[in-house]
Amino acid sequence: MLKYIYRIIILLAVFVASIYYFSRDIKEVVFDIDNTTVMEDATFPLITIKTGENKINQLHGYSSNLKANRVREALTPIGNDQTFTVLINQEDYVIKKLNYEVREFVGNDLIETDSLSVFEDEEDLKSAKISIKAELSNDREYAVKITLITSESLKMYYYHRIKKYENTYLNENLTFVMDFHNAIKNKESAQSIIDYLESNSDADNSSLAYVNIYSSFELITWGNLEPVFVTEVIPRVKEVYKDTAMVELDYFIETDIQDVKEHYQVTEFYRVRYSKDRMFLLNYERRMEALFDVNLASVIKSELKLGITNNPDLNFLASADKKKLVFVRNRELWFYDLEKNEMIQVFSFRQEQTDYLRDLYNQHNIKLLNMDAEGNVNFLVYGYMNRGQYEGKVAVVLYKYIRMDDRIEELVYIPAEQTYQTLKENLGDFTYVNGKEIFYFHMNETIYAYNLITRELSVLASEVPKSNIVVLEELNYVSWQENPDPSMSKSLSIMNMETGEIQTIQAPTGYNIRLLGKIDSNIIYGYLKAEDIMTMMDGRRIAPPGIIEIASVDNEVLKSYQKQGYYISEIKVTDNVIDLIRLQKVENNGHITYIPAANDYIMNQVKDTSEVVSVNTRVTDQLLTEFYMTLPGGFTMTEVPKVKKTVQTVITQDPTVRQQGTELNQIYYYPYITGGIGGAYVNAADAIKIAREGIGTVLDSNNRLIWERGIKVSGYTIPGFETISWDDSGNTIESCLEIMLSYQGVNVKMEDISVSNQSAYEVLLKASKYTPIRLTGVTLEDALYYVTKGRPVLAMADSENSVLIYGFDAFNITVINPKTGKKSKMGMQDSTSMFSDAGNVFISYLGQ
């Protein structure tokens, strides 16, 4: 009898153990409402800088202890006394101590650190005066980190830059900016600034979303709106030079039209110059963005109002039956259940009682990954976290929205030791969560796979820049080039994101392979021979394929292109047309080189591009052009959608995932323009073009200053070149290199700088005291920036000969021309044309 009892006990034990073991893999769990929470309100204080009598540069606090020189949001000019005051709005904290650091902006070397624990009262604020003891150089940027320490030992970090001048006329420039800003609030007072405008009849005056110095007086003075300013307007100084300042005003307004209130975020940009006789308004821009409000929906037309905006493009996903829609607007995530006419605010930093300044701080974004048939959504929030448990952190957070419970669950937290502006450039388009709970993401040139169940992180590929990866969203496939060096690249990888299966496309024997892009849901790549890869005189590597193929994800070649004697430098895809930018190989004085050839194209099958949702416009007298989001065909909105908000699941496991190395192998160039960084570019010329158009500055990924639009000098000649001599090697490029290096104090042998087997850029990499910079593609005017900084510019006059530019005035440039053996002047127009015909090939070097 006992034997049977023991058997029953053993079977029961096995049964219980089996239930426990197998239940671990059951994904469906009973949801307990007690396991949820709501996001905490913003608590970090804002601080403002006071220099002289001017309040400028409102700064947000970080809980991430970043390197001081990684943040480039605001600049504080200081005088010879080297002082400025910090104004602290304590909010929910009691500040007991302030630490500060002053560091070199390039290199981040510490110059000075000190602490303050005695604060003054200034209105409702605490103030602390910082006096820098170390002698700072004039006209040089320094990074400053301010650390506030609370009574509970919490540390909050604030970052800005300082620049010392004897007199920047900051007070005069800021007075002009604020007078202009206040004057345009009504048309009568705006008569005082009308002479500063450059209104042009060709300007687009149909929208309040973007206004500039060329817009009509009516538009600049807010048209028929009567905006109410709901936040204090504190100038943010972006750049300062001797008599010129670039200033931003960022604020929120409210309008009330026929008892309907709407809210907008507005940014004004000014570039002004002081002179003793008058002020000059060099540039003025104003951008206006409506805050999304469900209650403004157009029920009659079944449309959601986007309002006045510069960004009408929609980031959305729709279910297969078109009854569920998820979209991002104003950095908020919304889910729309059309059957229930119910809108869910899935994620937002906006508070019930908003202060606009902290919860609506715009240094983050949301990226949609995927949505399943039930309406569950995976999405990323990346950048600065305005509030909640990660307040002040910079991170990438993966969330899942569970539609059944209207809750979000945090799955992954990836800290990032950088600002949102650089993070958005370093986070690739490839992000996905598949049915096996594998989270794929591309960040800092590395492709990762993270198992959400086992919590294991693996690297699929490294050294994969964003230009070498293609995502086919509709098919859930991704392809990347295994080696970024075209002379070493022998294969492409194609991965099914759902199964994780990877297949390869191998280059034929004797060829290498380059991934070029995509069209529809097919990839475009090219084959090239090693002997077709050339290094140009400025160090550029030209690797043009002679064969182009379009292939499906099943590795089926759909189309092929090859024409004898022609090579493809790049492609541009527009709708169903692939434009082929072509080159031809020619011999020039014994040297093989490439020259531009007529473009060709490949036609692809026209694809049905009908969208589930679209955007249309309406025009009214008061608001002018506004945008509306149309909903799927057949849907009729009977009333304004009901609005609900999600709750957040309380997690018990640490979701932190740390990357395995975050340093970039490639040097990138970042144009800092109005609104932040305008992209990351491998070629300096591409970044300079964006900065020129956006009136900005270019830095590289090592924080070295590359170029500035704010400086415009009518003429300058580098001292010392009038008496300089050089050896005549018979090669003008070598002579220019010898002169450039001699100016740096570097003595070289002519055989060491021979360009018969190396480029001029490679010579400078080996021999120059300073880092060489390739400027190929910029205009002569932009290249002359380097002359104003005391650095000569080597410029190709044709395919074989160069000159060295060391001076200029309004009408001429001054060059050393080794071909003629003379120093001479060249007309600005003639030289611009000559350099353009030669490809605008320029080389100089960076400062210390």
Side-chain angles (χ1 to χ4, degrees), residues 556-780:
E556 177 187 357
V557 177
L558 305 176
K559 285 187 180 181
S560 183
Y561 175 94
Q562 181 180 14
K563 289 193 177 180
Q564 187 66 34
Y566 289 93
Y567 302 84
I568 311 303
S569 63
E570 61 176 314
I571 67 167
K572 295 179 180 179
V573 178
T574 306
D575 297 328
N576 67 317
V577 178
I578 305 172
D579 286 311
L580 306 174
I581 314 303
R582 301 194 304 173
L583 303 172
Q584 282 184 295
K585 193 185 293 185
V586 297
E587 182 177 342
N588 190 350
N589 295 329
H591 295 283
I592 303 297
T593 188
Y594 286 109
I595 61 171
N599 293 355
D600 205 348
Y601 62 90
I602 301 174
M603 295 287 293
N604 199 50
Q605 184 177 356
V606 177
K607 184 181 178 183
D608 180 16
T609 57
S610 59
E611 293 283 3
V612 176
V613 300
S614 59
V615 173
N616 61 28
T617 60
R618 299 187 204 172
V619 179
T620 61
D621 290 338
Q622 287 185 291
L623 296 170
L624 300 183
T625 302
E626 295 182 287
F627 289 87
Y628 284 78
M629 173 180 169
T630 65
L631 298 168
F635 170 73
T636 301
M637 188 184 294
T638 56
E639 60 180 349
V640 173
K642 299 181 291 293
V643 177
K644 296 172 63 178
K645 294 186 178 182
T646 57
V647 291
Q648 186 167 344
T649 308
V650 176
I651 55 175
T652 58
Q653 287 183 304
D654 183 6
T656 303
V657 174
R658 299 193 183 277
Q659 302 166 74
Q660 302 168 5
T662 59
E663 296 300 319
L664 300 175
N665 295 297
Q666 173 74 52
I667 294 292
Y668 288 96
Y669 299 95
Y670 301 111
Y672 285 80
I673 57 176
T674 303
I677 290 178
Y681 300 89
V682 174
N683 297 312
D686 295 331
I688 289 171
K689 180 181 178 182
I690 298 296
R692 185 198 321 121
E693 294 171 352
I695 315 169
T697 300
V698 178
L699 272 71
D700 70 7
S701 41
N702 289 324
N703 274 332
R704 294 174 297 198
L705 181 62
I706 303 300
W707 189 86
E708 299 167 283
R709 167 71 188 271
I711 293 180
K712 188 172 180 64
V713 180
S714 58
Y716 184 74
T717 299
I718 303 174
F721 275 88
E722 294 301 330
T723 58
I724 205 164
S725 60
W726 65 91
D727 293 328
D728 184 7
S729 68
N731 185 297
T732 58
I733 299 171
E734 293 171 1
S735 296
C736 287
L737 289 169
E738 181 197 6
I739 299 166
M740 182 181 282
L741 292 169
S742 175
Y743 175 69
Q744 295 180 10
V746 178
N747 295 317
V748 291
K749 297 177 181 179
M750 293 306 294
E751 57 264 28
D752 294 334
I753 60 173
S754 171
V755 292
S756 58
N757 293 307
Q758 60 183 336
S759 68
Y761 185 81
E762 289 168 317
V763 170
L764 291 175
L765 276 177
K766 296 173 184 176
S768 175
K769 280 185 178 180
Y770 311 110
T771 304
I773 177 77
R774 178 172 48 249
L775 300 167
T776 298
V778 305
T779 63
L780 171 61

Side-chain angles (χ1 to χ4, degrees), residues 269-400:
F269 173 78
Y270 295 80
R271 186 162 72 106
V272 296
R273 188 172 75 234
Y274 166 84
S275 76
K276 63 181 181 180
D277 299 321
R278 58 161 292 182
M279 296 295 300
F280 292 89
L281 179 63
L282 305 177
N283 295 91
Y284 173 74
E285 295 179 354
R286 187 177 72 219
R287 289 175 171 83
M288 182 174 173
E289 289 292 327
L291 301 187
F292 180 72
D293 186 346
V294 176
N295 294 313
L296 299 175
S298 173
V299 176
I300 294 175
K301 294 195 174 183
S302 298
E303 294 177 341
L304 296 174
K305 184 174 181 178
L306 305 180
I308 297 171
T309 179
N310 291 280
N311 303 296
D313 294 339
L314 290 172
N315 177 10
F316 75 94
L317 295 173
S319 60
D321 60 7
K322 302 180 183 179
K323 294 180 180 180
K324 301 179 185 69
L325 194 66
V326 61
F327 62 94
V328 178
R329 200 71 201 157
N330 304 126
R331 296 166 296 281
E332 296 178 331
L333 182 60
W334 292 87
F335 179 92
Y336 193 4
D337 188 322
L338 278 75
E339 280 191 311
K340 296 182 178 180
N341 196 28
E342 186 176 78
M343 292 275 287
I344 314 299
Q345 189 185 66
V346 177
F347 188 94
S348 173
F349 282 131
R350 195 191 313 195
Q351 298 172 176
E352 288 288 347
Q353 299 298 320
T354 179
D355 67 3
Y356 296 100
L357 300 175
R358 293 182 297 169
D359 57 328
L360 295 185
Y361 186 45
N362 62 0
Q363 294 301 295
H364 68 278
N365 213 335
I366 296 175
K367 179 177 174 60
L368 292 170
L369 274 60
N370 41 23
M371 177 170 65
D372 65 20
E374 285 73 39
N376 302 315
V377 181
N378 292 303
F379 64 96
L380 292 181
V381 178
Y382 60 98
Y384 178 92
M385 302 294 154
N386 296 4
R387 62 186 182 105
Q389 63 176 325
Y390 297 128
E391 183 178 4
K393 297 286 187 185
V394 180
V396 177
V397 186
L398 172 66
Y399 288 101
K400 183 168 188 174

